[in-house]
Amino acid sequence: MNDFLFRSMSREQKAVERARKAFLTGRSQSLEYRITQLKNLLRFIRERQKEIAEGLKKDLRRSECGTPLYETLGLENEINLAVRNLKEWAAPRPVSKSMMTISDQVYIQPEPLGVVLVIGAWNYPWAVTIGPLIGAIAAGNAAVIKPSEELYPVVTGGVTETQELLKQRFDHIFYTGNGTVGKIIMEAAAKHLTPTTLELGGKSPCYIDSNCDLAIACRRVAWGKFLNCGQTCIAPDYILCEPSMQDRVIEELKKNIKDFYTEDPTKCLDYGRIINQRHFKRLMALLEGSTIAVGGENNESDCYIGPTILRDVKPDAKVMQEEIFGPLLPILTVSGADEAIKFINQREKPLALYIFSSDDKLIKRMIAETSSGGVVANDCLMHFSVSSLPFGGVGNSGMGCYHGKHGFDNLSHLRGCLIKKLKMENVNKMRYPPHTVDKLGWARFFILKHVDFGSLGRMMLLALMVIFAAVIVQAPNSMEFNMALSNALCAFTADMAYTESKVNLNIPLWNEEIFPDMELEQQILSLPIRCIHSEEGCRWTAQNKLLQAHLSVCEFNVVSCPNRCSVKLLRRELPEHMQHDCAKRKLHCDHCGDEFTGEAYENHQGVCPEESVYCENKCGARMVRRVLGQHSVSECPKRKLPCRYCKKEFLYDTLQPHQQQCPRFPMQCPNRCGTPGITRETLMAHVKEGCSTAMVLCPFREAGCKHKCPKTAVGRHLEEATHTHLSLLSGVVNRQRLELRELRRAVEELSGSRDGTLLWKLTDFSQRLQEVKSRTSGSLELFSPAFYSHNYGYRLQVSAFPNGNGSGEGSHLSVYIRVLPGEYDGLLEWPFPYRVSFSLLDQSDPALTKPQHITETFIPDPTWKNFQRPRPGALGSVRGGCLDESMLGFGYPKFISHEEMKKRNYIRDNAIFIKATIDVVQKILNS
Ligand SMILES: NC(=O)c1ccc[n+]([C@@H]2O[C@H](COP(=O)([O-])OP(=O)(O)OC[C@H]3O[C@@H](n4cnc5c(N)ncnc54)[C@H](O)[C@@H]3O)[C@@H](O)[C@H]2O)c1
Ligand SMILES: CCCCCCCCCCCCCCCCCC=O
């Protein structure tokens, strides 16, 4: 493949391409290679046990022991089994021969398929991914693995990536998951005619017969159902029992739920959680319409659903319409086994069927009259752990199977092999034209006879065929032929008796009588022959009668291992087998000297306490394994230890340096104040703020107190210096008052208008008027904000006496204007020269009546003192207190009478508006 093409491929294409390329090198075919890979896989599982269990704890809240118990131990067993038996599984498998193939080699040769795609699910992610992988490796395949995205989203990707993967060509797809996706997988596989294994699910029924020990049955059902929070493909989905048993079944299940998971399963480490909120919601919806007998507690945020039992569930209830895959256990009542069988058969074929009964006949009958992927009597789930049983579904629950040799076979192509020689053409003549009745008779004989010959029998038959061939050629249709054949058979059958072979030939002999022919027998036995294993390489030739003796020593003869390990192999392979492979061979461990069988030795390897090993922490130390534990825990400089203070883990030799910087390291206050719990990271703050002996400034430092004393003496200082602090504070108040005044002035400056118009609103008018009227002396003058006659012009202010002053006092509203000291006075013409107008605005609605404002206008009297230039430096307003108050404003003491004011809407919402306008000549405005 050229580099450019490879780079332009998708991630999935690349993975498959890489696997295929590796497969085509042929290296996965050698048994040694397969065994090494399996052993590597075993080591990986053992080394990563902790991480594997931790991952599942996070996903499913599986307890730490749950994962080894239900997943990885089983995988270890599967690998050991494959390693032990691979040679036998992968060897050619001789099959029975017919007369037609008696002299041929006929066998099945398992061969690798190529690249297998394994798609796993999330509920037992290791069992359903690595399990098939073991079969794939053992069978000599390459494999691409796609675990469920629930577990490793970053590594694997989700549906899109899987679908991309499915576009590739595989030699087998092994899918575990739900049936809907199963159909997608099959459809994709069909494009390349890829064989597919589908490990699906379904509703696995559990029939509890009235004839059984209910306490034990319910204990086993409760275990099988609530394990992994019910998320087990073969969990009992629902119970079928007779109505009279229902209450007792519920009571027993309830008792066991409590025994396994305590009164409060939320706190029990052995009780798991639902994988995600989507499934949580799905399960909660399944409860609709059913009666909860036990449990039902739930918490969505924690994905928790307690072990729940539903009673009197009807077949059409929601919970009975799909695989539950969660901790809900419906009970349906049936009249007995007949109805249970009918109920099961009316539904899709389940992945598992559970029957609890003490009646063996009933168990056998239920097995005979139903169908399911697997069946277990008087227990749940346990068939999954029996490697010799095929594990898989049927119909809707899947197709194909695995575990042990079944996985090997499923992922191998079992190739039929027939190897003939270009000889014995005379025998073959019976199939060549011209076809005759005699030839057909012989063909019938050769085709229909299936025999299992021992080696000697085979040889005899061969002799028979030689004779047959000779005769059929010379006298194909004569008496002579029949006689010769009969004689030959007599010799043959005599020999059979002698060898005690089980050959039972029922050859059609045209009803002729058979008689012994000693001479012919001798002739046959004296024939020079080659060893029956000559094709395999045996060079032995001698008289026929010596064959038996030869075979007992022939290197090419198949023999059973004398250790009774059940392996059959060529005699010449025996020494090698007995020395290296035999599971029952005796071995001494070089390290501890103990004796083991081969099988036990394999398990002993890697764990022998006397073997010298390097420290796993890579500290370089070497020691016997026996002391490794002690070394790792208490001596190894590379062992990990948690810091006593911050609890983070460090290598032993970096712990010391860490503690010199650890932020949680306990420290003493340098002032020796004795405060406990100070750490390196809090020390600075403590010394600065918390330490009782640290020198601190007086709290009145902002007011000007310079006193400094230990924190503990602050109280005394505060008592002693009350006077000083008060006078400092009054200074602060005065300063702030001045600042406030300054600020107010600045605000007024900014808010006052600069276009010669003031619109001034006086609120609460009647209250103010009332207030002044009730006073015995003095009047109330209200001041407008200051405003400017124009930009850079005169600074002015209007004042009003609500109750009047001078001649208007008590009867009128008086209005005046004042010239205030302003910023630009030095630039202006003096005395103030511009015409001034006052208006009291009529607030009537202009849409209803034309407003009639009261307006008075005057030209300033140039002799009036207040129209002269104000004293420089006297900036401010009258209210600011900086203006000479003797400088009276100019205006109208009788601007408008109180009576007049009431007539129209001069007062509205208790407010009046006074408008003042300064007529500045245009020339000034333009300048
Ligand atoms: N027979 C068994 O051995 C076995 C084991 C475990 C689970 N199950 C069954 O699996 C089901 C639960 O698993 P799940 O299906 O929820 O697991 P899941 O969601 O993990 O899906 C299974 C696999 O299918 C892939 N997938 C999902 N949608 C896909 C799509 N549209 N195209 C291609 N691939 C897609 C996922 O990536 C995943 O690898 C249950 O029915 C259970 O009984 C069966
Ligand atoms: C005598 C002590 C033996 C303990 C052995 C326990 C083995 C338990 C086997 C449980 C099987 C778990 C089912 C896993 C199914 C995975 C596929 C489906 O979801």
Side-chain angles (χ1 to χ4, degrees):
M1 154 117 357
N2 86 36
D3 189 41
F4 169 73
L5 266 182
F6 189 78
R7 271 185 284 128
S8 62
M9 283 174 168
S10 68
R11 192 168 68 118
E12 293 73 22
Q13 276 176 307
K14 279 183 188 167
V16 181
E17 186 58 34
R18 212 171 293 131
R20 187 163 302 286
K21 212 167 149 192
F23 178 75
L24 291 176
T25 61
R27 69 171 180 267
S28 67
Q29 307 235 7
S30 103
L31 296 195
E32 288 74 23
Y33 184 85
R34 301 185 205 180
I35 287 174
T36 310
Q37 294 307 312
L38 288 169
K39 285 184 175 170
N40 286 345
L41 190 56
L42 180 65
R43 208 180 52 241
F44 169 80
I45 293 171
R46 283 183 180 158
E47 282 174 2
R48 300 297 173 92
Q49 262 193 55
K50 210 169 147 218
E51 283 127 294
I52 294 173
E54 273 167 8
L56 278 155
K57 196 170 172 186
K58 281 190 197 139
D59 273 354
L60 291 165
R61 204 76 72 79
R62 177 105 56 84
S63 76
E64 261 154 44
C65 297
T67 296
L69 190 59
Y70 301 130
E71 290 204 68
T72 51
L73 277 179
L75 291 175
E76 288 187 39
N77 180 45
E78 282 276 304
I79 296 177
N80 285 335
L81 189 79
V83 167
R84 269 201 313 276
N85 294 301
L86 190 59
K87 204 162 180 179
E88 188 188 328
W89 294 350
R93 302 174 190 177
V95 289
S96 65
K97 299 186 190 186
S98 73
M99 294 289 279
M100 286 257 292
T101 53
I102 192 72
S103 65
D104 304 331
Q105 296 175 45
V106 193
Y107 60 94
I108 296 168
Q109 176 62 60
E111 63 177 26
L113 290 166
V115 180
V116 176
L117 170 62
V118 179
I119 302 181
W122 49 264
N123 61 334
Y124 290 86
W126 288 83
V128 302
T129 313
I130 304 299
L133 178 66
I134 295 167
I137 295 176
N141 298 295
V144 174
I145 306 143
K146 217 293 308 169
S148 178
E149 61 272 29
E150 293 285 354
L151 273 152
Y152 307 113
V154 183
V155 182
T156 62
V159 172
T160 326
E161 288 78 3
T162 315
Q163 286 180 348
E164 179 60 34
L165 204 48
L166 286 173
K167 285 186 200 148
Q168 314 308 313
R169 187 190 183 115
F170 291 96
D171 300 297
H172 194 107
I173 300 179
F174 195 113
Y175 165 80
T176 301
N178 65 66
T180 312
V181 175
K183 288 176 192 160
I184 298 175
I185 304 284
M186 256 193 112
E187 207 177 313
K191 295 228 165 64
H192 298 296
L193 289 179
T194 303
T196 308
T197 302
L198 299 181
E199 296 288 346
L200 310 178
K203 288 181 88 62
S204 298
C206 174
Y207 175 66
I208 306 183
D209 185 28
S210 53
N211 177 8
C212 87
D213 182 333
L214 215 54
I216 297 181
C218 291
R219 172 158 284 254
R220 295 182 184 182
V221 173
W223 172 74
K225 177 69 189 188
F226 299 113
L227 180 84
N228 213 31
C229 209
Q231 299 162 115
T232 304
C233 56
I234 43 174
D237 191 89
Y238 58 91
I239 290 178
L240 295 172
C241 69
E242 290 172 25
S244 60
M245 295 165 61
Q246 181 169 226
D247 287 340
R248 279 186 300 140
V249 168
I250 293 173
E251 266 325 294
E252 287 296 338
L253 288 169
K254 192 172 164 187
K255 200 166 113 219
N256 286 302
I257 290 170
K258 193 176 139 202
D259 285 354
F260 292 159
Y261 305 118
T262 76
E263 284 281 12
D264 181 4
T266 54
K267 299 207 176 74
C268 176
L269 291 179
D270 283 313
Y271 191 70
R273 294 295 182 273
I274 304 303
I275 184 71
N276 56 32
Q277 300 204 328
R278 180 170 64 81
H279 279 285
F280 175 92
K281 287 195 178 100
R282 177 184 64 78
L283 285 162
M284 292 307 293
L286 290 187
L287 287 173
E288 207 183 293
S290 291
T291 310
I292 295 177
V294 175
E297 301 82 8
N298 61 86
N299 175 356
E300 182 168 354
S301 63
D302 192 26
C303 283
Y304 171 82
I305 300 180
T308 300
I309 301 167
L310 306 174
R311 63 174 305 139
D312 296 313
V313 175
K314 298 279 167 276
D316 57 0
K318 249 182 139 181
V319 73
M320 289 304 292
Q321 308 313 311
E322 62 181 72
E323 179 184 355
I324 298 174
F325 217 55
L328 317 178
L329 180 53
I331 304 180
L332 289 89
T333 54
V334 285
S335 56
D338 287 343
E339 198 185 330
I341 292 173
K342 200 166 148 205
F343 188 94
I344 294 163
N345 288 340
Q346 277 166 349
R347 286 161 176 76
E348 296 287 1
K349 292 184 179 178
L351 185 56
L353 167 64
Y354 301 111
I355 309 161
F356 284 86
S357 175
S358 302
D359 179 351
D360 287 347
K361 272 200 193 132
L362 176 86
I363 293 172
K364 291 280 161 58
R365 186 187 146 209
M366 284 197 84
I367 295 177
E369 293 181 20
T370 58
S371 174
S372 61
V375 58
V376 180
N378 295 322
D379 209 337
C380 290
L381 316 188
M382 289 305 289
H383 60 310
F384 187 86
S385 64
V386 182
S387 296
S388 47
L389 290 176
F391 180 80
V394 55
N396 231 47
S397 55
M399 62 183 71
C401 60
Y402 68 134
H403 286 188
K405 183 164 178 278
H406 307 288
F408 175 94
D409 284 352
N410 187 12
L411 297 174
S412 296
H413 167 54
L414 300 183
R415 189 179 193 187
C417 302
L418 169 66
I419 301 180
K420 295 173 83 81
K421 292 273 180 231
L422 289 168
K423 291 179 183 165
M424 303 219 19
E425 197 58 355
N426 282 336
V427 178
N428 289 333
K429 275 187 179 158
M430 75 179 120
R431 61 181 150 108
Y432 300 148
H435 299 304
T436 65
V437 173
D438 279 346
K439 280 188 188 177
L440 184 62
W442 280 102
R444 182 186 303 281
F445 165 62
F446 280 105
I447 291 169
L448 299 183
K449 283 293 157 201
H450 279 263
V451 286
D452 181 15
F453 300 106
S455 54
L456 192 63
R458 256 200 323 271
M459 188 276 297
M460 286 303 185
L461 203 67
L462 210 63
L464 170 66
M465 290 180 66
V466 172
I467 295 165
F468 160 74
V471 171
I472 202 169
V473 177
Q474 287 158 17
N477 199 7
S478 69
M479 196 57 190
E480 190 188 339
F481 164 72
N482 277 342
M483 291 297 283
L485 178 65
S486 302
N487 290 349
L489 283 173
C490 286
F492 177 71
T493 47
D495 200 69
M496 289 299 113
Y498 162 70
T499 57
E500 292 181 350
S501 163
K502 294 203 179 72
V503 175
N504 174 19
L505 280 174
N506 190 12
I507 303 173
L509 287 178
W510 292 275
N511 302 324
E512 292 297 328
E513 205 177 301
I514 298 171
F515 57 91
D517 186 337
M518 299 308 287
E519 199 180 321
L520 185 58
E521 180 184 349
Q522 281 313 310
Q523 277 174 21
I524 292 172
L525 290 176
S526 304
L527 284 174
I529 57 166
R530 276 191 248 138
C531 174
I532 55 170
H533 299 302
S534 62
E535 283 161 14
E536 286 100 307
C538 182
R539 298 260 164 270
W540 180 87
T541 60
Q543 282 189 333
N544 192 352
K545 58 181 158 229
L546 300 176
L547 180 66
Q548 187 63 14
H550 164 69
L551 287 177
S552 64
V553 294
C554 175
E555 290 292 285
F556 295 91
N557 205 19
V558 174
V559 291
S560 295
C561 169
N563 289 341
R564 296 178 189 278
C565 74
S566 85
V567 168
K568 286 183 176 166
L569 71 180
L570 302 188
R571 178 173 283 112
R572 65 184 199 156
E573 291 168 347
L574 202 54
E576 168 81 4
H577 165 77
M578 290 179 68
Q579 197 179 349
H580 298 296
D581 302 325
C582 175
K584 298 268 165 64
R585 71 194 186 277
K586 292 278 184 294
L587 284 171
H588 281 94
C589 170
D590 288 344
H591 310 298
C592 63
D594 287 356
E595 191 183 81
F596 295 92
T597 62
E599 199 173 0
Y601 183 68
E602 268 163 29
N603 292 332
H604 176 69
Q605 273 180 326
V607 296
C608 173
E610 297 304 325
E611 188 184 357
S612 171
V613 288
Y614 281 106
C615 166
E616 285 161 357
N617 297 337
K618 302 202 171 54
C619 73
R622 195 174 176 163
M623 67 212 78
V624 288
R625 183 173 282 113
R626 179 165 41 78
V627 298
L628 189 62
Q630 173 70 14
H631 167 81
S632 309
V633 174
S634 56
E635 293 154 11
C636 173
K638 299 276 182 221
R639 68 188 184 276
K640 280 199 178 152
L641 288 175
C643 167
R644 282 174 58 197
Y645 310 111
C646 67
K647 310 292 178 225
K648 285 190 195 143
E649 284 209 324
F650 292 88
L651 295 183
Y652 173 75
D653 50 9
T654 60
L655 188 60
Q656 207 65 16
H658 158 73
Q659 286 184 348
Q660 278 161 20
Q661 299 160 9
C662 175
R664 301 283 163 85
F665 191 81
M667 303 292 281
Q668 261 210 353
C669 169
N671 301 327
R672 304 201 175 276
C673 68
T675 307
I678 305 172
T679 62
R680 184 172 277 124
E681 67 187 350
T682 59
L683 183 62
M684 289 292 276
H686 165 78
V687 171
K688 263 195 182 165
E689 292 150 25
C691 178
S692 56
T693 63
M695 294 296 277
V696 292
L697 285 169
C698 168
F700 288 93
R701 60 184 172 276
E702 300 272 331
C705 179
K706 302 260 183 292
H707 187 78
K708 201 174 180 186
C709 61
K711 205 175 177 186
T712 46
V714 171
R716 208 174 64 228
H717 164 68
L718 289 176
E719 273 172 26
E720 287 170 359
T722 320
H723 220 76
T724 320
H725 291 154
L726 276 177
S727 63
L728 284 169
L729 283 179
S730 92
V732 170
V733 171
N734 279 336
R735 279 197 301 282
Q736 286 178 343
R737 190 182 292 146
L738 289 175
E739 274 168 24
L740 203 59
R741 188 182 298 159
E742 195 52 35
L743 283 171
R744 196 175 283 150
R745 198 192 65 76
V747 170
E748 276 174 9
E749 283 292 320
L750 289 169
S751 60
S753 77
R754 288 173 179 257
D755 60 357
T757 303
L758 167 79
L759 186 59
W760 181 29
K761 181 178 185 182
L762 279 85
T763 54
D764 302 327
F765 187 76
S766 55
Q767 283 92 325
R768 291 173 195 249
L769 193 59
Q770 211 47 51
E771 190 194 326
V772 194
K773 281 188 187 289
S774 62
R775 279 191 198 173
T776 47
S777 66
S779 55
L780 173 69
E781 186 177 13
L782 302 172
F783 297 94
S784 78
F787 67 104
Y788 276 86
S789 60
H790 56 282
N791 249 346
Y792 314 117
Y794 300 89
R795 190 160 166 260
L796 303 161
Q797 185 174 46
V798 172
S799 75
F801 290 82
N803 196 32
N805 89 323
S807 57
E809 187 171 336
S811 57
H812 283 77
L813 167 71
S814 312
V815 181
Y816 300 95
I817 190 157
R818 271 194 179 78
V819 177
L820 301 180
E823 304 268 6
Y824 317 107
D825 289 355
L827 308 173
L828 301 170
E829 179 189 344
W830 296 101
F832 170 72
Y834 300 120
R835 188 167 45 189
V836 177
S837 300
F838 293 129
S839 299
L840 178 67
L841 300 186
D842 178 0
Q843 300 175 55
S844 303
D845 184 350
L848 302 174
T849 171
K850 189 166 181 262
Q852 291 180 15
H853 308 312
I854 305 290
T855 303
E856 296 287 354
T857 302
F858 67 87
I859 298 187
D861 176 349
T863 63
W864 192 261
K865 196 175 170 192
N866 183 246
F867 290 142
Q868 311 307 314
R869 181 179 174 186
R871 208 164 29 87
L875 284 174
S877 68
V878 169
R879 280 175 297 169
C882 291
L883 189 74
D884 179 353
E885 300 220 356
S886 66
M887 293 233 195
L888 285 176
F890 191 92
Y892 298 89
K894 290 187 171 180
F895 182 65
I896 180 169
S897 73
H898 292 158
E899 287 309 308
E900 195 69 22
M901 280 178 86
K902 288 178 196 158
K903 285 188 184 159
R904 296 186 63 85
N905 281 317
Y906 297 115
I907 307 169
R908 192 165 184 183
D909 298 332
N910 208 11
I912 62 168
F913 283 93
I914 295 173
K915 186 176 174 188
T917 318
I918 315 299
D919 259 349
V920 180
V921 289
Q922 200 58 37
K923 187 178 80 181
I924 296 290
L925 293 176
N926 294 342
S927 66

